[in-house]
Amino acid sequence: SLTIPEGVTKISYSAFNGCEALTNVSLPDSINYIAYDAFNGCVNLREDVASHINKKTKSFIHELLKKNAQDIK
């Protein structure tokens, strides 16, 4: 189990790559970026935790794409 403390804003590329023993992650509200493969290889993450991380990651990617589209205009 891992609790990322409040104030942390980013989880970088491969930060927890291959942490097979990791089953649970608590993310603070301060997180504003999770690299797409930050939890790659964490095969034992509970499904609800993995889903939450995946949704946050997709949300960040969506917001980035939206911002880039606005910058192009």
Side-chain angles (χ1 to χ4, degrees):
S1 185
L2 171 69
T3 299
I4 297 175
E6 189 63 43
V8 172
T9 59
K10 296 180 183 181
I11 301 176
S12 299
Y13 171 80
S14 295
F16 300 100
N17 185 36
C19 292
E20 293 179 11
L22 190 59
T23 58
N24 189 30
V25 178
S26 295
L27 300 172
D29 290 335
S30 60
I31 291 286
N32 61 26
Y33 174 79
I34 300 174
Y36 187 76
D37 62 351
F39 293 92
N40 186 43
C42 297
V43 295
N44 291 310
L45 271 179
R46 289 190 348 235
E47 189 171 325
D48 61 320
V49 174
S51 176
H52 178 72
I53 290 168
N54 202 19
K55 284 178 187 173
K56 276 193 158 268
T57 302
K58 286 180 180 177
S59 174
F60 300 139
I61 290 171
H62 173 76
E63 289 302 314
L64 180 63
L65 291 173
K66 192 165 80 174
K67 181 186 178 312
N68 285 343
Q70 290 172 348
D71 289 346
I72 291 172
K73 291 181 182 179

